[in-house]
Amino acid sequence: ECQELIDPGSYVRDPAEAWRKVAGGLRLEPRDGGVLVALAAERERLAAEEDLIPHFLVPDDTLVALAKSAPRSRRDLEHDRRFAVRALQRHADRWLDAIGRGLDAPRPRSPARPPRRATRSSRPRGGARSRRGRRGPRASSGTRRRRP
């Protein structure tokens, strides 16, 4: 049981699937989504090389902003305040290469969600449920009793 926990192979993350865990990534346009896929994969590889948690290296909101703006040059990357993260500045060439790869490749499709159940719930909703649980004259007449 504990052998599984100490096995380093059980903690390996797939860089190609890293984009699925980026908060806000599914709301991007398809072109920007392709850039996000490449950036998230690059973040995973850099985090593995530096033995860091990917979110500590570059936060999700910065990664999404980078995917939206898709800077083409090192100067564009350095002059935007949102990208003043040390890892972005230190590895600017790698990030720019990832952006270039992402512009050429669209975002993969997300797996389809299972359809919602079409059955109606037998439980009443809203006011009917709250009135049902009350007891006494307030539940039926809607008037308040005065206290002496």
Side-chain angles (χ1 to χ4, degrees), residues 7-131:
D7 178 28
S10 63
Y11 297 102
V12 175
R13 295 181 299 258
D14 182 16
E17 295 296 315
W19 67 275
R20 295 181 191 277
K21 295 182 180 179
V22 175
L26 293 177
R27 290 179 287 206
L28 293 174
E29 297 294 323
R31 179 191 77 90
D32 300 337
V35 174
L36 181 68
V37 170
L39 288 171
E42 192 62 36
R43 179 176 75 172
E44 284 290 328
R45 286 189 283 273
L46 275 171
E49 288 172 15
E50 296 186 15
D51 196 26
L52 291 171
I53 297 173
H55 303 284
F56 287 174
L57 192 63
V58 177
D60 284 351
D61 58 341
T62 304
L63 210 61
V64 170
L66 191 61
K68 283 181 183 178
S69 67
R72 303 284 185 149
S73 69
R74 188 180 191 107
R75 181 176 178 190
D76 294 341
L77 188 64
E78 290 171 352
H79 288 297
D80 194 333
R81 279 188 328 177
R82 295 175 298 175
F83 309 135
V85 178
R86 186 184 313 169
L88 287 176
Q89 302 300 325
R90 196 171 54 208
H91 302 287
D93 295 329
R94 288 179 72 169
W95 294 110
L96 292 170
D97 289 342
I99 291 169
R101 286 191 309 271
L103 289 171
D104 296 336
R107 174 177 55 199
R109 292 181 149 254
S110 297
R113 291 184 179 174
R116 287 186 166 183
R117 291 185 4 192
T119 59
R120 296 187 96 191
S121 174
S122 60
R123 293 177 14 179
R125 298 202 174 243
R129 183 180 350 166
S130 61
R131 282 191 301 271

